[in-house]
Amino acid sequence: VLPLLGPVEGGTRLTVLGSHFRESSSLACRFGIGENGGFSVAARFLSSSQLECVSPVVAGASARSVEVSFNGQQFSTGGAAYTYAQAVAVSSVWPVQGSAEGGTPLTVYGSGFTAASEALGYLQCRLNGTVVRGQLASGGEAVVCRSAAVAAGYVSVEVSTNGLDFTSDGVQYESVWSVVSGVAPRSGPVTGGTVVTLTGTGLVASGARCRFGASSPVAASVDSASEARCVSPPSGAPGWAALELRRFD
């Protein structure tokens, strides 16, 4: 079955893979049997090797065997494993502002995040309509994902642990354009070594570097969304140089 896990609230649209499937008005999937109890739901025929069914609600996290029936009575016995996981919730995101150019590491706090989801490649963040890969933070209480390039404004942040079902908790961060409005000092020796302070709004925090003219980018220290510092490199000749602060990937 795909995906291999889903929330205890049910509602996950599963693709059941197998062989010799055929159309029937009584097609059904059964989740669990024996001590766990069995829950049967209607299935939809897709092809001779694929069916679709929606996972039912269960009382708690557990592993279930998914079986298929053509008549709603006799079920298969092969048993594809499906895991019901704890409900996922998002409570907050940090920082509350990120660059509209993308690349800001967002730490999304909440509950229900698992190492199994990360290992399967299911752990994802959805930023408005853009889905990006997530990484489980130490302790398992947060997911880290890198923001995508989006228009300035508020961006909803939701998380999935099965690559299909996302939270709907309404947590947001603000996407802002990075603008440098001031530089001090405005001059320095051609030998370099001058600590230059840049001021502005929405300055990129992670991986930010400064580029002076056509020289190679140098590391930047971003103290806040409104201030950053970098050290000027040597220059081959005196004169004005354009100064950029951004991620140079």
Side-chain angles (χ1 to χ4, degrees):
V1 294
L2 294 173
L4 296 173
L5 54 85
V8 293
E9 304 100 325
T12 300
R13 194 173 296 275
L14 297 177
T15 300
V16 182
L17 306 177
S19 60
H20 307 298
F21 296 153
R22 63 177 185 269
E23 286 196 80
S24 167
S25 60
S26 301
L27 272 178
C29 293
R30 184 177 66 193
F31 291 73
I33 191 172
E35 292 182 1
N36 284 332
F39 297 89
S40 296
V41 296
R44 185 166 72 96
F45 178 82
L46 299 179
S47 71
S48 61
S49 60
Q50 291 186 17
L51 299 179
E52 184 180 78
C53 53
V54 177
S55 64
V57 178
V58 297
S62 61
R64 301 279 175 136
S65 175
V66 179
E67 305 290 0
V68 172
S69 173
F70 298 138
N71 63 8
Q73 296 181 35
Q74 283 79 39
F75 285 82
S76 61
T77 56
Y82 178 73
T83 301
Y84 277 100
Q86 176 188 348
V88 181
V90 171
S91 57
S92 63
V93 61
W94 187 90
V96 294
Q97 282 190 335
S99 170
E101 291 92 335
T104 302
L106 301 172
T107 302
V108 186
Y109 295 95
S111 59
F113 311 137
T114 67
S117 292
E118 182 182 29
L120 290 167
Y122 288 163
L123 194 58
Q124 298 175 344
C125 296
R126 187 172 64 193
L127 312 174
N128 281 349
T130 303
V131 176
V132 298
R133 188 79 173 263
Q135 290 184 311
L136 192 65
S138 178
E141 296 179 353
V143 174
V144 178
C145 51
R146 196 172 292 276
S147 69
V150 294
Y154 286 96
V155 179
S156 66
V157 180
E158 306 296 351
V159 172
S160 174
T161 56
N162 68 357
L164 187 64
D165 304 304
F166 285 83
T167 57
S168 55
D169 296 308
V171 172
Q172 296 179 317
Y173 79 95
E174 187 180 12
S175 171
V176 295
W177 290 110
S178 297
V179 176
V180 174
S181 55
V183 176
R186 299 186 66 84
S187 63
V190 293
T191 53
T194 302
V195 177
V196 179
T197 300
L198 299 86
T199 54
T201 57
L203 303 185
V204 179
S206 175
R209 292 190 283 174
C210 293
R211 182 163 65 188
F212 292 75
S215 65
S216 297
V218 296
S221 173
V222 181
D223 301 319
S224 68
S226 60
E227 185 174 286
R229 291 172 295 162
C230 49
V231 178
S232 65
S235 174
W240 292 103
L243 176 55
E244 296 178 85
L245 174 72
R246 64 184 181 91
R247 288 175 52 86
F248 292 88
D249 296 319

